[in-house]
Amino acid sequence: MSPSNGTSTDPSGPTSTAIPRYARRSGRVGRTLVSGAVAALLLAGCAQGDGSAPESPSATGSPAPAPSATTATTAAGTLLVADFGSDTVTFVDPRRGPLGSVEVGTAPYGLAVGADGPAWVATAEGVAVVDTRTRERLALIPYETGTGPVSTGEYRGGGMGIALSPDGERVYVGVNVPGGNGVLEVIDTESREVTGTVPVGRRPFDVDVSRDGSEVYTTNHDSFDVTVVATDSLAARRVEVAPHGTEGGLGSWLKPHYTVVRPSDGKLLLPFEGERLVVVDPRSGRSEILPMTADTHQHGAVITPDGTLLVVGTGPIDPAEDEGPSLTVRTSDGAERVYPLAGAHEDVAVSRDGRTAYVTGGFTRDGYWNGITVVDLPTGDTRRLAAGDRPLGIAVLSPDRTA
């Protein structure tokens, strides 16, 4: 995100951070995981919870000690989170909490999980390959791009967004280069080597792939754009995405963060501030702007096969007129329900049955906490779950994985 002018809060606590705005917004309006269960629940008129989060001693302090993973079984539905505040990923039982952690490299950000078991984790040092069955790191693939000394924190160099090709043969990782434009690096999953690099925009927060694998999209936070990359030739073109304009440059808060690819037509959906949903045709570069209702600064997003969009609201830019943290659930017809959350959050994943959302408390800025908010989508009820150290990226593991 953009440079901080905000007020820090205790990283272990549930309070949210009030995010000051760079300038007034003008014209105030506006990963595929599960089946149509979410949409059916919303259209059935589910009740919205009050957003309260039951406290758990281990969820608001240091991460709870994790049991040894040497004899563990990783069941379907287990969560995997990237511990941005440490050098590990943590396996999390969605009912009981942490199961065990694996060292992957400094400040892991995003992660992607293959159907055959490996997880690919973007760290400050390289892309780590983790066997989710044996819970061990298999490799650390260094970046070809120079990113300076290995460091931590919001502006650290190294991998950010990461995605797998539909056939599982390539990994695409957005590499942040402090002070300059980023790079998309292409990794062959069999050889575990970088096979191509493509210049993209500044700070590639997110990486997504078209359903047919023909294009990759990097969402470049600090340059107000998406880079569209053809996977056969690695030819790239820029599409500006700036519904609030680009005034303020690097100091602006009103930038793109995360993108999803709409299953029905391959268009890109980018939420802004709980006010606007930008729908981008990656082929023509044309955009349509639709209204949203959460009125809060938004980060992580995920979409289901039936087009239900879930978006994480991190908190207000201007506490005098903006709303607090939330989870927006938007059906394909544009109907929205907004579930309040206690404290800042970053990213979101959905259970395979579509009934539960898991929202990470890591957050890229101050105000993070060491856990996940579990949201029951039929009712809006929430509970807190201890999970790692400043967890950012999250995935739900699908097949049983036995160590």
Side-chain angles (χ1 to χ4, degrees):
M1 280 187 49
S2 45
S4 174
N5 296 310
T7 302
S8 299
T9 62
D10 180 357
S12 65
T15 55
S16 63
T17 302
I19 306 175
R21 119 186 13 252
Y22 170 82
R24 291 283 178 185
R25 283 163 280 179
S26 60
R28 293 177 64 88
V29 284
R31 310 166 239 237
T32 300
L33 291 176
V34 297
S35 68
V38 172
L41 294 168
L42 291 173
L43 295 175
C46 59
Q48 179 173 320
D50 62 6
S52 61
E55 294 296 335
S56 165
S58 61
T60 56
S62 299
S68 170
T70 55
T71 59
T73 297
T74 305
T78 298
L79 310 176
L80 184 66
V81 298
D83 297 326
F84 191 59
S86 183
D87 59 357
T88 57
V89 292
T90 297
F91 293 83
V92 182
D93 183 304
R95 296 169 300 280
R96 294 174 296 179
L99 298 170
S101 298
V102 176
E103 184 175 328
V104 291
T106 303
Y109 184 97
L111 55 83
V113 179
D116 56 349
W120 304 80
V121 187
T123 81
E125 302 175 53
V127 172
V129 187
V130 175
D131 188 321
T132 59
R133 296 183 178 89
T134 62
R135 299 188 200 167
E136 61 181 336
R137 191 181 81 176
L138 303 177
L140 181 64
I141 305 164
Y143 304 116
E144 286 199 357
T145 305
T147 60
V150 173
S151 62
T152 62
E154 181 184 356
Y155 303 101
R156 65 118 174 97
M160 298 187 74
I162 189 167
L164 274 163
S165 63
D167 60 12
E169 294 182 359
R170 288 167 300 284
V171 170
Y172 303 99
V173 57
V175 179
N176 179 44
V177 180
N181 286 341
V183 174
L184 179 73
E185 296 204 356
V186 184
I187 296 172
D188 182 281
T189 58
E190 183 175 356
S191 67
R192 297 177 185 165
E193 295 179 346
V194 176
T195 59
T197 61
V198 183
V200 296
R202 295 176 71 104
R203 284 221 291 160
F205 248 61
D206 195 17
V207 175
D208 296 272
V209 184
S210 64
R211 297 186 72 190
D212 63 3
S214 65
E215 291 182 332
V216 178
Y217 314 110
T218 67
T219 305
N220 310 309
H221 179 271
D222 287 356
S223 50
F224 298 89
D225 59 21
V226 169
T227 303
V228 180
V229 180
T231 57
D232 56 356
S233 64
L234 298 188
R237 50 194 170 86
R238 175 182 183 267
V239 177
E240 183 175 283
V241 186
H244 297 283
T246 61
E247 182 181 358
L250 294 179
S252 172
W253 290 93
L254 310 177
K255 300 173 182 175
H257 293 87
Y258 291 78
T259 299
V260 298
V261 180
R262 189 159 63 186
S264 61
D265 58 9
K267 291 184 178 180
L268 311 181
L269 307 183
L270 293 92
F272 279 78
E273 307 305 317
E275 295 179 346
R276 303 178 182 184
L277 180 66
V278 183
V279 183
V280 178
D281 185 334
R283 290 156 186 81
S284 68
R286 296 190 180 93
S287 297
E288 176 186 11
I289 299 177
L290 304 175
M292 295 188 75
T293 61
D295 192 21
T296 189
H297 193 64
Q298 289 178 316
H299 275 209
V302 69
I303 198 165
T304 71
D306 70 341
T308 300
L309 174 67
L310 291 86
V311 187
V312 180
T314 69
I317 287 180
D318 183 348
E321 61 178 67
D322 300 334
E323 300 296 329
S326 63
L327 177 68
T328 290
V329 183
R330 179 188 179 101
T331 55
S332 59
D333 62 359
E336 290 188 351
R337 283 194 176 272
V338 179
Y339 300 95
L341 299 175
H345 293 73
E346 181 69 24
D347 208 354
V348 59
V350 184
S351 63
R352 297 292 162 177
D353 63 7
R355 300 181 62 87
T356 309
Y358 306 104
V359 194
T360 57
F363 196 34
T364 56
R365 304 194 60 76
D366 294 333
Y368 63 86
W369 55 284
N370 296 325
I372 293 170
T373 294
V374 181
V375 182
D376 182 78
L377 293 172
T379 65
D381 292 340
T382 63
R383 61 183 173 87
R384 286 196 164 197
L385 184 69
D389 186 347
R390 195 174 181 175
L392 287 190
I394 182 169
V396 179
L397 300 181
S398 182
D400 286 342
R401 308 190 190 283
T402 304

